[in-house]
């Protein structure tokens, strides 16, 4: 799966009291007022009880309540004092721990702060047609079959809450009655439309009660109705998927989709996208959603913080993971120390030669137990080691409740007791403990299987990446930046060795290296042997990468050694205030905000750089080549806190 991952160098300043109560809080209040104003109406509401309480509705309500509490816990623990965070990160990984040791350029390195603000890092997705995604249009496609604007305001906040609880089976009511205050046919029609379009799965009918008209909302087809939007209400002439551009700040793609699905009251799986984007950044990407109108999506712009939706269109197909051509990055490195000459040399080298296509630090986790160690234990079939590595106490940056959970586990080896210390059950540790509680300590394989498949595979992919990084460093140390006999290149999707007579036909930019697996070949020179030696040292057989559990069998893949970014541009700017943005975003342009006015001779200097990368490459590794500096959280956090003293 293509992913833009940059969390490993997320840096934060100490938050002053002014910062905490600042723009975000004002923005939040304004949005809440907007949403409330939109929902004000004169409708009154009455609930009708026809059947005894459904115990399943209680479970659903409890799970949603627990999920909300977990989200609040996670968010409340996000910001901490940078000094203490830097101290905790002394136990984190450095680049050399995961095989990242070489550079391709000859310039002298310099220091700079990456992601001091999340707005210093902007990602624009590049679609399969080569078009860069931009948010530049809030207009909604005109469609005669769309409901009227009043559909979105006719229901009060109380109406919507009762209807949502009915839709999600969160209480004992089997229907909700909304009194029609201004009884006209037009008004009743609007209420019918509002309920059906905003709450998929509910049907409506009109009833007379004591001389008053009521719209009665009820479930159309039991609990399965919620899973799919109403097919019969969608015009046949309109494409089934609404495509839109999602602009988001400081949220990862899955979190964003979960938020959108909650506001729209639909399942997250009706959304599709081409790649996941990082949290600590401003990102712009295309999303498709099944049978939700552009009109309804556009209304979310008034209610959501740090999200904007636009560039709406209807199409007959969803999006698929991996369909994109790559991503375009706009990055600010603040407080740089390099001379103009150093910067010119560094950026020219990035444009002409490129950078080593290492897997970035975020591939290996941020704690004292790297993810590749767990992956190695899985491949070794050492399940006690897998359990121990995930659950044992570890030094370094972790949330307090995780520390207590690990201490309890070390002391008692009791899954139930450890789970009690863990308010956030959705984390890997919580999932594994639940599995152990269900299947017992003698069936760790089944217990581990409770963890979502993608998370489990992340561990073994991390081990593959660890091997690849180490082998590429050895390859560059041994043979430098030229193609040599025995190297691998791709012809179509097939890897072949470079023969002695053909070596002059290829450059280092053609050379690929394998991720270990049962369906790849290895270089025919010293590095081929080095692969075998590394796996032997890890008690693994390079000729037998099939696992008795099919999910953990590694087929392998090929990856280019050197990546040369496209569309590389840069400039050095001066600034005085570290809090001001140094470029305008899509949203700034739409809102008519002026470009920042920067001094000609400020206290600090920043390097603004732009470049495009193909999928599954790490922008941190391109930036590392420019700075010639360790991009690990351990190093960057210490650099940032030193600067802030």
């Amino acid at each position: 799966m293509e992913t833009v991952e940059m969390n490993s160098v997320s840096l934060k300043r100490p938050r002053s009291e002014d910062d905490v109560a600042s723009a975000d809080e004002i923005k939040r209040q304004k949005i809440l007022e907007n949403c409330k104003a939109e929902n004000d109406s004169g409708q009154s509401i009455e609930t009708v009880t026809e059947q005894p309480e459904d115990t399943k509705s209680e479970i659903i309500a409890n799970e949603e309540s627990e999920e909300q509490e977990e989200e609040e816990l996670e968010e409340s623990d996000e910001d901490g004092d940078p000094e203490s965070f830097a101290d905790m990160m002394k136990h984190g990984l450095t680049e050399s721990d995961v095989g990242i040791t070489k550079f391709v350029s000859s310039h002298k390195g310099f220091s700079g702060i990456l992601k001091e603000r999340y707005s210093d890092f902007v990602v624009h997705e590049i679609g399969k047609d080569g078009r860069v995604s931009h948010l530049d249009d809030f207009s909604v496609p005109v469609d005669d079959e769309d409901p009227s604007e009043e559909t979105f305001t006719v229901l009060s906040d109380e109406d919507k809450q009762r209807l949502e609880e009915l839709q999600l089976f969160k209480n004992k009511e089997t229907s909700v009655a909304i009194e029609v205050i201004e009884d006209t046919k037009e008004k009743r029609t609007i209420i019918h439309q509002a309920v059906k379009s905003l709450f998929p799965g509910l049907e409506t009918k009109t009833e007379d009660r004591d001389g008053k008209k009521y719209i009665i909302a009820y479930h159309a087809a039991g609990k399965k109705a919620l899973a799919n939007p109403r097919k019969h209400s969608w015009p046949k002439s309109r494409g089934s998927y609404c495509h839109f551009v999602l602009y988001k700040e400081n949220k990862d793609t899955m979190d964003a989709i979960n938020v959108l699905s909650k506001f729209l009251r639909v399942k997250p799986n009706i959304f599709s996208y081409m790649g996941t984007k990082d949290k600590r950044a401003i990102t712009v990407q295309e999303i498709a959603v099944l049978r939700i109108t552009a009109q309804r999506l556009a209304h979310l712009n008034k209610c959501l913080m740090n999200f904007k939706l636009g560039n709406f269109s209807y199409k007959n197909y969803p999006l698929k993971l991996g369909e994109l051509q790559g991503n375009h990055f706009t990055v600010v490195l603040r407080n740089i120390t390099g001379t103009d000459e150093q910067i010119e040399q560094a950026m020219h080298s990035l444009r002409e030669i490129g950078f080593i296509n290492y897997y970035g630090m975020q591939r290996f986790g941020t704690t004292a137990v790297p993810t590749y160690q767990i992956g190695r234990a899985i491949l070794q079939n050492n399940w006690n080691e897998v359990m121990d590595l995930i659950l044992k106490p570890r030094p370094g940056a972790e949330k307090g409740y995780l520390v207590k959970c690990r201490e309890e586990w070390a002391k008692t080896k009791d899954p139930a007791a450890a789970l009690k210390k863990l308010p956030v059950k959705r984390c890997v540790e919580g999932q594994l403990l639940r599995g152990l509680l269900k299947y017992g300590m003698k069936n760790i394989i089944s217990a581990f299987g409770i963890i979502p498949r993608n998370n489990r595979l992340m561990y073994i992919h991390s081990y593959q990446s660890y091997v690849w990084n180490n082998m590429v460093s050895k390859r560059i140390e041994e043979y430098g930046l030229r193609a040599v006999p025995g190297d691998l290149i791709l012809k179509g999707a097939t890897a072949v060795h470079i023969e002695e007579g053909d070596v002059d036909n290829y450059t280092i930019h053609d050379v690929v290296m394998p991720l270990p697996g049962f369906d790849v070949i290895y270089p025919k020179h010293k590095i081929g042997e080095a692969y075998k030696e590394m796996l032997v040292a890890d008690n693994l057989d390079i000729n037998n990468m099939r696992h008795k559990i099919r999910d953990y069998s590694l087929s392998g893949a090929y990856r280019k050694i050197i990546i040369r970014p496209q569309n590389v541009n840069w400039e050095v700017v001066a600034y005085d205030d570290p809090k001001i943005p140094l470029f305008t975003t899509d949203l700034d342009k739409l809102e008519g905000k002026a470009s920042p006015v920067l001094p000609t001779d400020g206290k600090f200097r920043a390097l603004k750089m732009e470049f495009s990368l193909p999928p599954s490459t790490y922008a941190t590794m391109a930036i590392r080549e420019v700075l010639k500096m360790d991009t690990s959280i351990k190093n960057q956090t210490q650099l940032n806190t030193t600067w802030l003293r």
Side-chain angles (χ1 to χ4, degrees):
M1 177 169 61
E2 185 277 335
T3 179
V4 180
E5 302 171 281
M6 290 287 295
N7 285 336
S8 62
V9 271
S10 300
L11 302 167
K12 300 183 182 179
R13 287 183 160 276
R15 301 180 72 199
S16 67
E17 289 178 14
D18 290 341
D19 289 337
V20 173
S22 66
D24 265 3
E25 192 55 42
I26 296 163
K27 191 170 161 190
R28 187 178 285 109
Q29 290 301 324
K30 193 172 179 182
I31 286 169
L32 287 172
E33 285 165 18
N34 282 346
C35 287
K36 196 168 184 181
E38 269 199 0
N39 293 330
D40 284 343
S41 76
Q43 305 305 320
S44 67
I45 192 163
E46 170 188 324
T47 56
V48 182
T49 305
E50 295 178 1
Q51 290 181 0
E53 185 169 335
D54 183 350
T55 54
K56 187 171 181 183
S57 69
E58 271 190 15
I59 294 167
I60 294 170
N62 288 340
E63 282 180 354
E64 292 221 345
S65 169
E66 183 182 276
E67 189 175 306
Q68 191 172 345
E69 284 174 19
E70 289 185 11
E71 283 171 5
E72 287 168 5
L73 258 171
E74 287 168 353
E75 283 176 18
S76 69
D77 217 7
E78 262 190 9
D79 291 310
D81 174 56
E83 292 284 355
S84 60
F85 183 70
D87 189 55
M88 286 193 291
M89 285 315 302
K90 287 175 184 173
H91 303 283
L93 294 171
T94 62
E95 288 184 347
S96 60
D97 293 329
V98 293
I100 302 172
T101 58
K102 300 296 179 185
F103 296 97
V104 299
S105 54
S106 58
H107 72 275
K108 185 180 177 184
F110 52 93
S111 69
I113 306 292
L114 172 60
K115 281 197 176 184
E116 191 199 341
R117 301 171 60 78
Y118 68 77
S119 54
D120 285 346
F121 193 85
V122 180
V123 186
H124 289 268
E125 189 172 72
I126 305 171
K128 62 181 177 181
D129 58 358
R131 184 177 52 84
V132 178
S133 290
H134 281 281
L135 180 76
D136 52 21
D137 184 6
F138 282 142
S139 66
V140 174
V142 178
D143 191 328
D144 292 339
E145 303 203 48
D146 275 338
S148 69
E149 280 294 309
E150 202 178 346
T151 300
F152 296 91
T153 58
V154 70
L155 299 173
S156 69
D157 284 346
E158 188 182 3
D159 291 342
K160 288 182 178 179
Q161 184 170 345
R162 294 288 181 86
L163 288 164
E164 182 176 0
E165 288 173 354
L166 174 68
Q167 182 203 34
L168 300 176
F169 301 92
K170 288 173 72 171
N171 57 26
K172 59 187 177 180
E173 286 82 19
T174 59
S175 65
V176 166
I178 302 169
E179 184 183 352
V180 185
I181 303 297
E182 303 166 21
D183 183 21
T184 64
K185 185 177 180 183
E186 291 75 18
K187 191 62 176 277
R188 293 198 302 272
T189 299
I190 289 168
I191 297 173
H192 282 296
Q193 285 179 340
V195 173
K196 291 175 182 178
S197 62
L198 298 178
F199 299 90
L202 296 185
E203 284 290 356
T204 56
K205 60 186 177 183
T206 304
E207 282 187 7
D208 283 306
R209 294 183 182 178
D210 302 324
K212 295 179 181 178
K213 282 275 196 303
Y214 287 87
I215 305 296
I216 309 299
Y218 59 95
H219 277 283
K223 298 186 180 183
K224 288 183 180 177
L226 183 61
N228 296 305
R230 296 166 49 83
K231 293 181 181 178
H232 59 274
S233 64
W234 194 262
K236 290 181 180 177
S237 59
R238 183 198 287 162
S240 292
Y241 295 87
C242 183
H243 287 233
F244 61 94
V245 168
L246 172 66
Y247 170 103
K248 62 182 181 62
E249 300 179 355
N250 210 25
K251 280 269 183 195
D252 70 31
T253 302
M254 283 313 303
D255 284 343
I257 283 173
N258 286 334
V259 169
L260 294 177
S261 63
K262 281 182 182 178
F263 270 81
L264 293 166
R265 303 174 183 88
V266 295
K267 298 287 186 183
N269 63 4
I270 70 170
F271 290 88
S272 57
Y273 48 90
M274 294 183 285
T276 57
K277 302 288 180 276
D278 183 35
K279 175 181 178 180
R280 194 165 168 78
I282 292 173
T283 70
V284 184
Q285 70 182 115
E286 191 175 349
I287 305 284
V289 61
L290 177 64
R291 295 191 181 94
I292 298 289
T293 64
Q295 188 185 28
R296 198 170 157 199
L297 290 166
H299 269 268
L300 296 180
N301 284 333
K302 299 175 184 176
C303 297
L304 293 174
M305 265 192 74
N306 301 331
F307 294 94
K308 289 293 176 186
L309 286 63
N311 297 77
F312 302 102
S313 63
Y314 293 108
K315 297 177 182 175
N316 288 316
Y317 54 86
L319 296 169
K320 293 180 182 175
L321 274 172
E323 278 187 333
L324 73 173
Q325 274 193 21
N327 296 283
H328 185 74
F329 297 87
T330 307
V331 179
V332 170
L333 301 175
R334 292 185 184 248
N335 200 34
I336 55 168
T337 60
T339 64
D340 288 345
E341 185 182 359
Q342 281 176 284
I343 291 164
E344 286 295 306
Q345 286 176 351
M347 295 307 298
H348 275 288
S349 176
L350 183 67
R351 185 165 64 190
E352 302 304 322
I353 302 173
F355 63 97
I356 304 171
N357 194 19
Y358 286 125
Y359 286 95
M361 295 301 297
Q362 55 272 41
R363 188 80 164 185
F364 306 103
T366 56
T367 68
V369 177
T371 51
Y372 75 80
Q373 290 184 3
I374 299 168
R376 179 169 56 201
I378 293 168
L379 295 173
Q380 292 168 342
N381 221 25
N382 187 345
W383 293 100
N384 283 309
E385 175 82 352
V386 171
M387 178 178 68
D388 188 47
L389 286 169
I390 292 174
L391 296 177
K392 73 179 182 180
R394 57 183 70 172
E398 283 215 304
K399 299 180 191 298
Y401 53 77
L402 263 178
V403 173
K404 289 175 183 172
C405 169
R406 294 187 191 287
E407 287 171 351
E408 183 65 34
W409 173 256
K411 187 169 67 179
T412 65
K413 289 290 190 287
D414 180 350
L419 263 175
K420 284 179 184 174
K421 303 285 184 182
L422 198 61
V424 178
K425 306 287 195 296
R426 288 178 299 160
C427 61
V428 167
E429 291 82 0
Q431 289 160 338
L432 178 56
L433 287 167
R434 279 178 170 176
L436 291 169
L437 204 56
K438 180 176 180 179
Y439 294 106
M441 298 284 284
K442 291 184 177 178
N443 194 353
I444 300 169
I445 295 175
S446 296
F448 182 71
I450 278 188
I451 298 169
R453 182 174 184 271
N454 283 350
N455 290 10
R456 287 181 278 124
L457 296 185
M458 171 195 74
Y459 292 121
I460 57 174
H461 292 157
S462 175
Y463 178 73
Q464 283 181 302
S465 306
Y466 170 71
V467 172
W468 194 91
N469 279 0
N470 277 280
M471 292 300 99
V472 166
S473 291
K474 280 184 180 293
R475 159 65 182 76
I476 288 171
E477 182 177 350
E478 190 70 34
Y479 300 111
L481 298 177
R482 59 193 176 88
V484 298
D487 273 335
L488 292 168
I489 51 106
L490 289 177
K491 289 194 173 177
T494 306
V496 297
H497 294 102
I498 298 177
E499 301 298 335
E500 187 80 49
D502 292 333
V503 74
D504 292 337
N505 296 328
Y506 301 103
T507 71
I508 193 67
H509 295 97
D510 299 310
V511 177
V512 297
M513 295 265 285
L515 284 92
F518 60 77
D519 199 24
V520 294
I521 59 174
Y522 295 88
K524 281 184 181 175
H525 48 50
K526 289 181 182 178
I527 306 307
E529 286 303 311
Y531 270 96
K532 292 176 186 173
E533 289 165 8
M534 185 170 183
L535 267 69
V536 166
D538 286 341
N539 294 316
L540 294 170
D541 180 359
I542 201 165
N543 297 313
N544 184 19
M545 298 302 288
R546 293 186 188 273
H547 197 280
K548 67 176 187 178
I549 300 168
R550 188 176 175 184
D551 266 359
Y552 310 137
S553 289
L554 295 177
S555 61
Y558 299 100
R559 181 176 175 88
K560 285 206 167 184
I561 292 183
I562 303 291
I563 292 291
R564 191 159 37 195
Q566 302 298 304
N567 309 310
V568 179
N569 291 291
W570 68 92
E571 69 171 316
V572 176
V573 296
Y575 65 101
D576 289 319
D577 184 354
K579 294 180 182 176
I580 64 163
L582 298 181
F583 52 78
T584 52
T585 64
D586 285 357
L587 187 58
D588 292 336
K589 292 170 188 172
L590 271 171
E591 293 178 344
K593 289 184 182 175
S595 299
V597 179
L598 301 172
T600 52
D601 188 23
K603 286 189 282 186
F604 309 111
R605 291 160 71 240
L607 172 59
K608 288 169 60 178
M609 54 197 293
E610 288 189 61
F611 51 88
S612 300
L613 295 177
S616 301
T617 54
Y618 289 72
T620 34
M621 295 296 100
I623 294 160
R624 168 188 181 269
E625 188 68 43
V626 170
L627 295 176
K628 288 210 168 169
M629 199 169 96
D630 189 325
T631 59
S632 63
I633 292 184
K634 179 175 180 176
N635 183 64
Q636 283 276 314
T637 309
Q638 288 166 0
L639 173 67
N640 200 23
T641 50
T642 301
W643 178 49
L644 293 169
R645 285 193 181 113

